[in-house]
Amino acid sequence: MTVQTPTPFPNASGQPQQVAFDRAELSVILSLYGRAVAAGEWRDYGMSFLREVAIFSIFRRTAEVPVFRIEKRPALRSKQGQYAVIGQQGQILRRGHDLRTVLRVLERKLIRSVD
């Protein structure tokens, strides 16, 4: 009896693999998003899953450019950290290895004094 090694299943679409947020990451992001929507700060979001990066874009209004982008770049995992929060003009507000820590920069923007 001969043992055969399994043949890997080919990529059906022929397209390169995509980077995506997993369920735990989306839970953290959507929790922050929900609090910001309740506070009246944000109104819409969009997600893009590309070959090298997954992007969660946050909009103040639907027809505008994103106010913030949350990016996941696995290629930077061992260097600068795979998560980043990027501002409207493209400036990196925070980068790191832990998503919750990186998102704190956005949580601070939601905290306001009550008059």
Side-chain angles (χ1 to χ4, degrees), residues 11-12 23 30 32-33 36 38 40 44 46 51 53 70 83 86 89 95 113 115:
N11 190 352
R23 183 175 289 202
L30 290 173
L32 172 65
Y33 177 78
D44 200 6
R51 183 177 181 187
V53 62
I70 301 166
Y83 302 108
I86 300 172
Q89 278 74 36
R95 181 180 291 282
S113 62
D115 296 328

Side-chain angles (χ1 to χ4, degrees), residues 24-109:
E25 292 165 338
L26 277 177
S27 176
V28 171
I29 293 169
L30 290 173
S31 173
L32 172 65
Y33 177 78
R35 290 191 310 263
V37 168
E41 292 293 317
W42 302 338
R43 297 187 187 210
D44 200 6
Y45 72 90
M47 291 189 281
S48 301
F49 303 112
L50 307 173
R51 183 177 181 187
E52 296 177 4
V53 62
I55 303 169
F56 187 94
S57 301
I58 300 165
F59 298 89
R60 191 162 281 141
R61 289 178 191 75
T62 305
E64 291 184 348
V65 296
V67 179
F68 299 107
R69 290 188 332 256
I70 301 166
E71 292 189 357
K72 176 183 177 181
R73 292 183 182 267
L76 298 177
R77 177 181 290 143
S78 62
K79 298 175 185 168
Q80 303 164 345
Q82 67 178 342
Y83 302 108
V85 173
I86 300 172
Q88 191 169 9
Q89 278 74 36
Q91 70 276 24
I92 297 175
L93 303 177
R94 183 167 241 180
R95 181 180 291 282
H97 298 283
D98 181 51
L99 181 59
R100 289 181 192 271
T101 304
V102 170
L103 292 180
R104 283 188 197 148
V105 72
L106 296 178
E107 289 179 5
R108 287 190 199 127
K109 294 182 182 300

